Amino acid sequence: MARQYIHRERHLVSRIGWLRAAVLGANDGIVSTASLIIGVAAATPASGAVLIAGAAALVAGAMSMAAGEYVSVSSQSDTEQADLARERTELAQDIESERAELAGIYINRGLAPDTATEVARQLMAHDALGAHARDELGISETTTARPIQAALTSAATFTTGAALPLALVLFVPTRALVPTVAVASLAFLALLGGIGARAGGAHIWRAVVRVTFWGALAMGLTAGIGKLVGTAV
């Protein structure tokens, strides 16, 4: 009786789907909401206006992230499904050519022709569409598009990120709001960058510098525009 070998490992690439959406959502939540709060606070001393602007940014941003991710990832999913449907048709019409095509892929990767032909035969006997999806189309369970997961993750993480600078509006005096939100948001961004890099196995300090630089630039530009508009009005 043949022994079945099962080798299970957890690779970082398996986190790509949710990690991308989570980091992007939280980062956008902090940057966009903090920037808007800082811009409005620089334009007007009214704390009520700042709070309304921050709350509106949280709700609108979360919905925008969810819709954007869903539409984007759905388009990817539609493309994958169309390719799989075409491949399914080709397998039904000319399976020998598809087997030769798969063997050719393995030969290009370094297998001997006889070995490649045998590998293609055995894999297609087990799951012909799955073999072509992985090795011809590059579609696998790890990387396949999941629109709903991406949308929900982005909305939830955006809300979490946006809530951090928004909470400061409730507790920090208006005169100290701009520097406090700026410093705290940069700290949040640095922490987020470090967590995302650690989860993805990337260079931590490089990620921290990257997110804090762009966050500081966004908040600085928004504060400058808010100051100019407030002075003009």
Side-chain angles (χ1 to χ4, degrees):
M1 180 177 179
R3 181 182 299 176
Q4 184 177 10
Y5 291 93
I6 300 177
H7 180 60
R8 301 185 185 277
E9 288 185 356
R10 299 189 65 181
H11 294 283
L12 296 175
V13 71
S14 64
R15 304 173 179 176
I16 285 177
W18 66 264
L19 181 60
R20 172 188 170 275
V23 172
L24 180 63
N27 184 81
D28 280 1
I30 295 173
V31 173
S32 60
T33 305
S35 296
L36 186 58
I37 288 172
I38 290 173
V40 175
T44 174
S47 59
V50 177
L51 183 60
I52 291 172
L58 185 152
V59 176
M63 293 306 299
S64 176
M65 288 292 296
E69 281 292 318
Y70 184 81
V71 170
S72 175
V73 180
S74 291
S75 297
Q76 177 187 341
S77 179
D78 291 343
T79 301
E80 291 177 352
Q81 293 306 314
D83 278 341
L84 289 174
R86 178 180 177 181
E87 198 64 35
R88 191 179 290 111
T89 300
E90 292 175 349
L91 285 168
Q93 293 176 346
D94 191 354
I95 193 168
E96 290 301 326
S97 294
E98 291 300 303
R99 185 179 292 114
E101 181 182 29
L102 194 62
I105 293 173
Y106 298 144
I107 290 172
N108 290 334
R109 292 180 182 176
L111 291 183
D114 290 345
T115 304
T117 300
E118 180 62 18
V119 170
R121 186 191 67 78
Q122 292 191 27
L123 286 178
M124 289 183 64
H126 174 69
D127 182 3
L129 182 61
H132 280 268
R134 288 189 305 271
D135 294 320
E136 181 183 351
L137 304 177
I139 300 173
S140 68
E141 183 180 352
T142 300
T143 60
T144 190
R146 296 180 176 86
I148 294 178
Q149 180 192 61
L152 294 178
T153 301
S154 293
T157 53
F158 183 97
T159 301
T160 301
L164 297 174
L166 183 60
L168 296 175
V169 179
L170 300 174
F171 303 104
V172 178
T174 304
R175 63 181 180 276
L177 194 58
V178 171
T180 302
V181 169
V183 172
S185 296
L186 289 176
F188 293 149
L189 286 172
L191 179 61
L192 174 65
I195 292 174
R198 179 66 180 273
H203 191 280
I204 293 178
W205 286 109
R206 187 178 303 157
V208 169
V209 171
R210 181 167 56 233
V211 297
T212 53
F213 170 78
W214 288 107
L217 181 62
M219 286 182 274
L221 291 174
T222 310
I225 293 173
K227 192 69 173 179
L228 289 174
V229 172
T231 302
V233 173

